[in-house]
Amino acid sequence: MKKVYCIIPVLLLFLLLKGIQPVSAQPRTALTQTSIIPHPVSVQATDRFFQLQPEIKICIADTVTKAMKRNAEYLADQLEIATGWELPVQATPKATGIISLSESIRDDLPDEGYVLHIAQDTISLSGRPEGVFRGVQTLLQLLPVYSDTLSTQPFLIPTGTIRDYPVYPYRGAMLDVSRHFFGVEEVKRFIDLIAIYKINFLHLHLSDDQGWRLEIDSWPGLTTHGGSTAVGGGAGGFYTQDEFEEIVWYAQERYITIIPEIDMPGHTNAALASYPELNCDGKAPELYTGTRVGFSSLCTSKEVTYQFVDDVIRELAAITPGPYIHIGGDESHETSIEDYIRFMNRVQGIVRKYDKKVIGWDEIAHAKLADGSVVQHWAEAKNATKAVEQGAKLIMSPATKTYLDMQYDSTTVLGQNWASYIEVDDAYKWDPALMIAGIDQEHVLGVEAPLWTETISTMDEIEYMLFPRLAGIAEIGWTPAENRKWDEYKTRLGDHALRLAAMGVNFYASEKVPWGQATQEE
Ligand code: TNX
C-alpha cells in the first residue's frame, strides 16, 4: 500500500506522457457498460447507483467461517486503498448502508461462482468463500480508480445483478524463479496482481539448470550450492521451506493454489552440480549461468536417482496442500526415449505414493500416464492428442499464444521470440478448445500463461511482460467463448490503464489498445 503513495508522482508523469488524463469524476455508466475483466457470464443493470461512503459497513453473519471473515477483511483493506476510508467489518447481517458477504452453497453455481447484487442502499455478495473472493474482485473493479489520491468522490457503483462463474476450473500463471530468483515479497506482489483477474493457480518453476530454489533438508547442497547463482552469474537465492509455506498460505488466502515444479530428468544441471552421484559418470559439472536448454539429465539408470526424487517429492508434498506436483519432463534431449518413459513411469508412482497428482509438460504423454495425471501442452499437438487418448486432461499453454516471455513485437527489449511475437491481441484471440483438431472443451482443464525468466530479472520487468497479456488469457479461461470479442475487449482493457497505473504496475501500453478512453469524463 505504501508503494502506491510513493509512486504517485511517477504515475502522474507516466499518465501525462501517455496522454491519459486522470478522471476527475466517475463516469455514470450502467452496470452493463462497465469494464470488468474477465467479462462476467451475466450482467443485468437497473439504472441506479450505490454510493460508497465512509459510514458504510461490511457485514457478515456471526456464524460465518473464518474464510468468509478473511474475505470481508480483504475487501475492507482493498477499499481502504481505493478510498482512504477504514470501513468496519461487523456481524449485522440485515441492514441498509452495508456491503454484506454471505456464504451460500448453491447447486446451480460451481465453487468459484458468485452472485453480486447491487441495490441503491445495499450490496450483497454471495457464494462459497472462493466464489465470494472472485466476486470481491468484480466489485473492486466497479470502483473508479484504485488509489485514494487519484480517484475523487462520489464513489458510485451502478446497480444491478451479476451472476458469474468460470468456464474452466484451471486458470494459471507460471513464474520461473530458477533462471532468475525472485524473493517472497516479489512473489506475493505477483500473487496480488494475478488475483485481480481471477487467476486460481500459480505454478512455480522451482528448479532448472541455472538454479535450485527450494530448500530440501535431506539434500542441503541443492540450495547451498545449486541455488547460489542464476542466468548471467548473479547471486541466485532460494526459499527455505518456511518461506515456501508462507507463499503457499498467502496464495491460499487469495484462493490461488501453488503448484510447485521440480523439472526432471532434464533441466537439472543445478542438482547435478551439487551431487556428483546423480551423474552417470559420477562427476559433478560446473554450475551453469547461460541460457541453453536440453543438455542435462539425471542418471535414470542409477538407483540413487530414485532415492533423490523420492526425498524431494516427499518433502515437497508435505508443504504443498494443493493436489498437484509438476514434474517437468520437457526437453530431455540427453535421455533416450526408452529411459525417459521408464523414468517417468516410476516418478509418477512416487508422486502418487505421496498422495499428489502429476502434472508434466506435453512430452510426458510418451509415458503411461498415471490416474489423474494432467498434461501441460506447450509445443507438440501430437503429444496433447496422445495425452487425451490416455484419458488425461490438458492445461493449454501453447507457446505461440501464452508464453509471456515472448516479445510483443520486434521492438520489445526484453524476452525472446523463438515461438512467435505475441501482441496483446494475439494473446487474446485464441480458443483452448479449438487449438488442436480432436481436442474439445471437455478435454481441457484450463489455460496457463508461463513467464520464463532467462531475460527477466526485476519485478518491473515481470510486470511489463505479464500486463496486459495476462488479463486476456485470464478472460479466455473464465468467460464463455461467445462473449469474447477482441474489439469489445480492447475497450474494456483500455479502461484498466488507470487502475493498473495506480497500483504501480509497469504495463506495456500497446498501440492496439485504446488506453484510457473509456475512463474519460462524460
Ligand atoms: C522452453 S517451455 C522451455 C523453457 C524455456 C523457454 C523459453 C518448456 C517446457 N521449456 O525451458 O525457458 O522455452 O521461452
Side-chain angles (χ1 to χ4, degrees):
M1 185 170 141
K2 297 268 172 341
K3 184 158 184 202
V4 173
Y5 295 112
C6 61
I7 57 97
I8 294 303
V10 181
L11 165 64
L12 288 173
L13 180 67
F14 165 89
L15 294 175
L16 281 175
L17 288 174
K18 289 212 163 99
I20 300 171
Q21 301 293 318
V23 270
S24 57
Q26 192 184 355
R28 290 171 186 254
T29 319
L31 193 60
T32 40
Q33 302 301 310
T34 51
S35 295
I36 302 161
I37 298 176
H39 197 284
V41 169
S42 115
V43 182
Q44 282 165 341
T46 51
D47 279 352
R48 296 266 192 285
F49 291 90
F50 174 96
Q51 184 170 346
L52 195 64
Q53 289 169 321
E55 302 76 45
I56 300 237
K57 298 173 182 53
I58 298 172
C59 295
I60 44 179
D62 46 11
T63 50
V64 292
T65 53
K66 254 207 206 118
M68 282 299 275
K69 222 176 263 165
R70 255 202 320 267
N71 278 338
E73 280 152 14
Y74 175 91
L75 175 62
D77 289 347
Q78 301 303 311
L79 288 176
E80 190 185 346
I81 296 173
T83 64
W85 302 326
E86 277 181 56
L87 306 184
V89 173
Q90 59 184 50
T92 325
K94 293 258 175 289
T96 56
I98 64 168
I99 302 176
S100 99
L101 307 188
S102 59
E103 207 158 341
S104 67
I105 314 264
R106 303 166 48 143
D107 292 338
D108 59 337
L109 282 179
D111 287 357
E112 290 181 279
Y114 65 91
V115 178
L116 174 61
H117 183 66
I118 303 158
Q120 252 178 303
D121 53 5
T122 316
I123 293 179
S124 65
L125 174 55
S126 64
R128 293 179 176 86
E130 59 188 296
V132 167
F133 184 82
R134 306 291 174 229
V136 163
Q137 300 305 330
T138 300
L139 178 56
L140 291 170
Q141 287 192 17
L142 294 172
L143 282 168
V145 172
Y146 213 62
S147 151
D148 64 337
T149 48
L150 276 185
S151 40
T152 43
Q153 298 183 44
F155 298 118
L156 297 177
I157 300 175
T159 57
T161 302
I162 295 178
R163 193 172 173 282
D164 200 14
Y165 52 87
V167 172
Y168 291 104
Y170 187 107
R171 301 166 316 278
M174 188 206 86
L175 180 63
D176 169 8
V177 295
S178 175
R179 271 55 178 270
H180 282 100
F181 179 67
F182 299 93
V184 174
E185 291 312 309
E186 291 165 309
V187 176
K188 285 183 177 173
R189 175 160 168 89
F190 191 100
I191 290 168
D192 282 335
L193 294 177
I194 66 177
I196 295 167
Y197 294 108
K198 301 187 173 74
I199 293 289
N200 64 345
F201 283 89
L202 170 59
H203 166 186
L204 288 174
H205 184 75
L206 291 169
S207 71
D208 212 302
D209 293 318
Q210 297 86 346
W212 185 287
R213 307 301 182 199
L214 177 69
E215 176 184 54
I216 300 293
D217 291 337
S218 50
W219 296 74
L222 290 171
T223 44
T224 53
H225 186 64
S228 65
T229 193
V231 165
F238 63 90
Y239 310 115
T240 63
Q241 294 200 4
D242 283 350
E243 285 171 334
F244 179 78
E245 288 197 273
E246 189 183 330
I247 292 172
V248 166
W249 295 119
Y250 191 84
Q252 194 146 304
E253 288 185 355
R254 284 147 187 79
Y255 296 91
I256 292 174
T257 302
I258 298 289
I259 298 178
E261 176 185 355
I262 300 295
D263 204 345
M264 57 184 118
H267 290 275
T268 41
N269 191 77
L272 298 168
S274 308
Y275 287 97
E277 61 268 41
L278 298 177
N279 296 269
C280 283
D281 64 4
K283 289 194 198 114
E286 293 294 305
L287 290 170
Y288 182 69
T289 61
T291 60
R292 274 188 310 125
V293 295
F295 62 88
S296 56
S297 182
L298 294 172
C299 189
T300 57
S301 59
K302 275 187 168 178
E303 212 35 47
V304 65
T305 297
Y306 299 93
Q307 187 55 52
F308 165 76
V309 173
D310 195 294
D311 287 337
V312 169
I313 301 291
R314 173 173 44 77
E315 290 194 33
L316 187 55
I319 53 175
T320 300
Y324 298 111
I325 287 186
H326 200 306
I327 56 172
D330 56 316
E331 299 172 318
S332 298
H333 305 322
E334 286 299 303
T335 316
S336 71
I337 186 72
E338 298 73 26
D339 288 348
Y340 177 87
I341 291 170
R342 264 196 298 275
F343 176 84
M344 278 306 179
N345 288 347
R346 201 161 159 190
V347 169
Q348 287 182 87
I350 296 173
V351 173
R352 299 302 289 157
K353 181 170 89 179
Y354 293 111
D355 270 339
K356 297 294 173 190
K357 291 182 187 163
V358 168
I359 305 181
W361 295 107
D362 63 38
E363 292 93 322
I364 200 184
H366 290 292
K368 183 173 176 335
L369 295 174
D371 235 18
S373 287
V374 170
V375 170
Q376 184 165 12
H377 167 64
W378 68 284
E380 293 287 338
K382 298 198 287 302
N383 292 342
T385 305
K386 257 196 193 130
V388 165
E389 281 166 4
Q390 294 196 55
K393 290 259 189 185
L394 295 173
I395 295 169
M396 297 298 282
S397 299
T400 51
K401 302 289 179 193
T402 68
Y403 268 32
L404 299 185
D405 63 322
M406 291 300 121
Q407 296 170 322
Y408 290 96
D409 64 22
S410 62
T411 67
T412 311
V413 175
L414 301 166
Q416 315 196 43
N417 58 35
W418 64 262
S420 184
Y421 292 123
I422 305 180
E423 247 296 354
V424 179
D425 57 340
D426 301 318
Y428 184 79
K429 290 195 256 179
W430 65 283
D431 189 325
L434 300 175
M435 282 293 286
I436 301 174
I439 288 176
D440 306 321
Q441 190 175 322
E442 60 176 305
H443 305 122
V444 175
L445 194 60
V447 294
E448 182 180 303
L451 182 64
W452 302 100
T453 59
E454 284 95 335
T455 64
I456 289 149
S457 58
T458 66
M459 194 67 209
D460 263 5
E461 292 173 355
I462 288 180
E463 290 171 10
Y464 187 79
M465 299 310 270
L466 223 55
F467 295 103
R469 290 182 291 195
L470 183 73
I473 291 166
E475 177 151 309
I476 292 173
W478 183 282
T479 305
E482 61 273 20
N483 295 346
R484 287 192 267 113
K485 308 266 180 309
W486 165 254
D487 281 336
E488 182 273 331
Y489 170 73
K490 72 178 179 191
T491 313
R492 264 186 296 129
L493 180 58
D495 210 4
H496 281 235
L498 282 164
R499 188 170 302 282
L500 288 170
M503 289 183 291
V505 174
N506 179 33
F507 65 95
Y508 164 64
S510 167
E511 283 176 7
K512 304 209 167 203
V513 179
W515 295 111
Q517 274 174 22
T519 59
Q520 300 299 318
E521 213 184 325
E522 273 190 335

